[in-house]
Amino acid sequence: MRVIEGINTSLHRFLADDPAAHIMGEDILDPYGGAFKATKGLSSAFPGRVLTTPISEASIAGVATGMALKGKPVCVEIMFGDFVTLCTDQLVNHMSKLPWVYNDQIAVPVVVRAPMGGKRGYGATHSQSLEKHFCGVPGLTVVAVSQYCDIAAVYAAAFASGTPHLIIENKLSYARRLEQRDVAPHAEPDIAIVTYGGSTEVCVAAADRLDAEEELAVNVIEVTTLSPFDRDGLRERIGDCRHVLVVEEGADGWGFAAEVSRALMGLPGLSFASICGPAHPIPSTKSWETALLPNETNVVAAALDLIL
Amino acid sequence: MHHFADLVSNHAADDRTCDYMLMSLIRQFETKLLDLFSQGLLSGTTHTCIGQEANAIALMAAIDKDIDTVWSNHRCHGHFLAYCGEVHRLFAEIVGRASGVCGGRGGSQHLAWRNFFSSGIQGGLVPLAVGTALADRDKGAITNVFLGDGTMGEGYVYEGLNLASLWDCPVLFVVEDNGIAQTTPRDRGVAGRIAERARPFDIESASVRSTDLAVLKPAAQEAARYVRERGRPFWLHIETVRLRAHSKSDDTRSEAELEALRELDCLDLLRAGMNGETDLLDTEVAAYLDACFDAAMKDPEPCA
């Protein structure tokens, strides 16, 4: 099963398990089934509960919040993650905030799905990884998935939580087969690479190459829940390893690497490095884009720099 | 504290007296807030609806409070008190007490009580109103959302109109057009005519230029009935007056302008139709407010 099919199956289950559940988004009805086909078959199986919307991301998130607080859970699809900035006010000031501000008199079971990431040559407004802007928002859980995580469990937990979630998917990962592989198999690794979402694939490929070519034991530590960030959990997963590389695709600064470094602050003898996306917009030239973003080659080079 | 409804039922035998006591309550509640601010006894901010109280009373009389939902805005005390009359708990919320409607988390602008909600982001609640209307449509419920002339600048309004019309959502959009957004007069902030805003979305509308409760009540009832019976949105534009500052003291209008607006004071209009017993009613309401406030001040703080 591919990632996109895993997501599609989870959405089917969401609608099948709860007759009050709804899905909303742009161009999500059959026969099209969404820009990336995550919603394929849903409108046929659950007519009336899959709502195709105008191009109104801000209001889609708001309508979902209104329905959810009346007991109708909603999963929202944002066609390209780049467009989630239009939902910022709803994510930050409404769905995540009102339950607490109203003294928990309401609950907002809304899951917003947003496909992020580059390397498809889509250019500056369809290739970004904007999740850091939504991390650290109280009341909003931000999750990222890849082919290495338990997609069914992640989605089921988000739907069962009864609280606002933003799930970061990755456009390249959609086509990948789900893999049940342990990407952190070593008890005493030489290097730990901490990453999430679409960058996990790059890091796993780099770890395999470091093993084959350099005989280095590399654990890839994939973080699924980006926010709130489990600092103690990360320290446990790092264990005694003191060579830590952080890989993220988002633009440089105020990002995942900073959060990981905060979690590991004070560890004696720590060697720490990070790589990320560029500090300028993503170019549409695909080869240029791929060279700028974390890739197998620059992750391997950064890992070797760290250990040598 | 006994409920405001008990006080009213002790004194009022007819609808007009009930309405008068409620309007007096809202007016005196907010006047007291302004006094407390000027004495330094309240912190944060507050936005009073002084001059606009009749809208709140008319609309809250027109809805079915058992099932309908109300979304209000920063200027929400009048809507709230007309919705539920929870005076002690509103005072407690504003002075930051655990007994407040939101346990002291919300304050003046962020209220929630049963199916009433308010918040402080202009237009941000419009899509939520579309959502609650859609969710509860099968129950025969409608959703009332209050906007102002200043909100006309927010894109949410137009996205919400589009969706409400496309999806047949029973939303009653109520624009309380007081002609001034904080300090910006309407002619600097709103192009075109507010009354016409909904028509291109195939949404029926009505425009009322009045502060007279006797005019507003039937307009509100007709609008709410239309939304419920047709299962369609409706746009009710009310031209009203704001007699005090946007928040506490930020009024840039001239005294002459304000003097002219005071001629339209809804409380005076209502008082003129009564038989001289209003002073007594005002006194009763004032005593009740003082008792509620004193009780709220004695309640524990949420962080205690």
Side-chain angles (χ1 to χ4, degrees):
Chain A
M1 185 182 274
R2 296 177 196 281
V3 169
I4 195 69
E5 292 155 356
I7 293 168
N8 180 259
T9 302
S10 294
L11 297 179
H12 265 278
R13 196 160 296 140
F14 169 60
L15 291 175
D17 287 353
D18 183 352
H22 286 69
I23 290 183
M24 274 182 215
E26 297 160 6
D27 301 289
I28 61 173
L29 297 186
D30 289 338
Y32 188 62
F36 296 98
K37 313 303 169 202
T39 56
K40 195 149 186 74
L42 296 178
S43 65
S44 304
F46 304 97
R49 290 201 283 137
V50 180
L51 306 178
T52 194
T53 69
I55 304 171
S56 304
E57 288 83 0
S59 285
I60 298 166
V63 171
T65 303
M67 289 183 73
L69 69 88
K70 290 291 182 182
K72 297 193 166 169
V74 182
C75 181
V76 171
E77 172 170 300
I78 301 299
M79 185 187 284
F80 279 77
D82 309 72
F83 313 156
V84 79
T85 52
L86 290 154
C87 308
T88 307
D89 176 56
Q90 287 298 323
L91 288 165
V92 175
N93 278 325
H94 294 84
M95 71 170 75
S96 62
K97 186 163 285 160
L98 294 180
W100 192 92
V101 169
Y102 291 160
N103 208 15
D104 301 314
Q105 294 178 76
I106 61 164
V108 179
V110 172
V111 172
V112 178
R113 301 175 33 248
M116 298 281 188
K119 300 184 187 173
R120 285 171 61 119
Y122 280 21
T125 61
H126 288 60
S127 309
Q128 300 167 90
S129 298
L130 297 175
E131 47 275 8
K132 69 178 177 185
H133 301 292
F134 300 94
C135 292
V137 176
L140 179 66
T141 302
V142 183
V143 169
V145 295
S146 80
Q147 62 267 43
Y148 304 101
C149 52
D150 186 344
I151 297 263
V154 169
Y155 284 76
F159 292 134
S161 71
T163 63
H165 275 59
L166 174 61
I167 301 188
I168 306 301
E169 300 167 358
N170 181 272
K171 300 192 282 287
L172 278 185
S173 301
Y174 279 150
R176 303 292 189 253
R177 290 192 183 285
L178 293 171
E179 281 194 49
Q180 299 260 305
R181 174 181 165 186
D182 181 7
V183 296
H186 305 289
E188 292 182 6
D190 300 304
I191 305 174
I193 304 181
V194 185
T195 189
Y196 69 89
S199 292
T200 311
E201 175 179 313
V202 163
C203 296
V204 170
D208 287 348
R209 200 160 114 194
L210 289 162
D211 180 17
E213 296 177 5
E214 309 289 342
E215 295 185 351
L216 287 170
V218 180
N219 276 355
V220 175
I221 300 187
E222 180 184 13
V223 176
T224 308
T225 304
L226 302 182
S227 185
F229 194 86
D230 179 7
R231 295 185 202 119
D232 292 339
L234 181 69
R235 281 171 81 122
E236 255 176 56
R237 293 172 77 188
I238 293 285
D240 295 328
C241 184
R242 288 297 175 265
H243 294 100
V244 176
L245 174 65
V246 183
V247 179
E248 64 181 313
E249 198 176 305
D252 193 9
W254 291 90
F256 183 69
E259 198 61 35
V260 172
S261 72
R262 185 180 176 202
L264 303 184
M265 200 172 358
L267 281 188
L270 182 70
S271 293
F272 185 92
S274 68
I275 55 177
C276 59
H280 57 73
I282 293 174
S284 60
T285 304
K286 198 175 160 190
S287 53
W288 186 9
E289 175 192 23
T290 304
L292 281 171
L293 296 175
N295 56 55
E296 191 181 319
T297 307
N298 58 27
V299 171
V300 165
L304 290 174
D305 273 353
L306 187 66
I307 202 150
L308 297 177
Chain B
M1 282 304 305
H2 60 286
H3 195 273
F4 179 64
D6 300 331
L7 181 77
V8 173
S9 62
N10 288 342
H11 288 271
D14 58 291
D15 282 354
R16 193 163 56 179
T17 309
C18 290
D19 288 340
Y20 183 81
M21 288 185 77
L22 180 55
M23 199 183 290
S24 176
L25 175 84
I26 299 171
R27 177 66 56 92
Q28 293 193 62
F29 183 97
E30 294 199 312
T31 306
K32 187 175 179 74
L33 287 187
L34 292 174
D35 289 346
L36 292 165
F37 267 108
S38 63
Q39 293 169 50
L41 294 172
L42 290 182
S43 57
T45 191
T46 197
H47 308 90
T48 68
C49 68
I50 291 170
Q52 305 180 188
E53 294 94 335
N55 304 335
I57 296 170
L59 266 302
M60 292 306 100
I63 63 163
D64 180 344
K65 291 173 194 161
D66 288 335
I67 55 171
D68 294 345
T69 295
V70 180
W71 292 97
S72 178
N73 48 35
H74 58 296
R75 211 173 294 289
C76 58
H77 306 148
H79 304 148
F80 178 85
L81 291 171
Y83 175 80
C84 65
E86 293 285 338
V87 181
H88 163 244
R89 296 200 61 185
L90 180 57
F91 264 135
E93 187 60 37
I94 292 170
V95 298
R97 296 298 191 269
S99 54
V101 286
C102 292
R105 293 180 176 189
S108 166
Q109 302 185 72
H110 316 101
L111 305 176
W113 180 252
R114 296 188 180 146
N115 292 321
F116 180 100
F117 308 98
S118 70
S119 186
I121 303 285
Q122 281 297 317
L125 297 177
V126 171
L128 279 76
V130 175
T132 56
L134 187 60
D136 284 349
R137 185 170 57 187
D138 295 345
K139 291 186 195 167
I142 71 170
T143 292
N144 177 138
V145 58
F146 286 104
L147 314 169
D149 48 297
T151 327
M152 297 302 101
E154 296 286 7
Y156 275 131
V157 175
Y158 310 100
E159 290 189 19
L161 286 169
N162 192 46
L163 282 164
S165 183
L166 278 174
W167 291 352
D168 291 323
C169 297
V171 183
L172 175 50
F173 296 89
V174 179
V175 186
E176 294 182 279
D177 172 9
N178 59 27
I180 186 159
Q182 192 147 342
T183 64
T184 303
R186 180 175 48 220
D187 61 6
R188 280 179 181 262
V190 182
R193 285 176 297 279
I194 293 173
E196 306 288 322
R197 282 291 199 268
R199 288 193 201 283
F201 296 92
D202 284 339
I203 293 175
E204 292 291 318
S205 53
S207 194
V208 186
R209 184 175 194 172
S210 180
T211 51
D212 186 346
L213 187 60
V215 173
L216 291 164
K217 266 190 151 180
Q221 268 152 15
E222 199 174 317
R225 190 182 319 119
Y226 172 92
V227 173
R228 198 180 311 278
E229 288 177 2
R230 300 287 186 89
R232 288 283 298 163
F234 190 85
W235 181 261
L236 178 60
H237 170 231
I238 302 172
E239 272 194 75
T240 185
V241 295
R242 193 188 86 197
L243 295 178
R244 300 291 289 264
H246 163 68
S247 52
K248 289 167 289 185
S249 58
D250 49 356
D251 206 333
T252 51
R253 295 172 294 183
S254 68
E255 183 52 34
E257 187 182 347
L258 290 169
E259 195 55 46
L261 294 179
R262 283 184 206 118
E263 295 295 314
L264 302 169
D265 186 333
C266 57
L267 192 61
D268 288 344
L269 293 178
L270 194 54
R271 195 179 275 131
M274 307 268 296
N275 295 324
E277 74 274 32
T278 54
D279 287 353
L280 177 65
L281 295 173
D282 288 340
T283 306
E284 290 286 340
V285 167
Y288 178 72
L289 276 167
D290 286 343
C292 288
F293 180 72
D294 292 343
M297 291 300 282
K298 287 184 187 124
D299 290 339
E301 293 189 346
C303 52

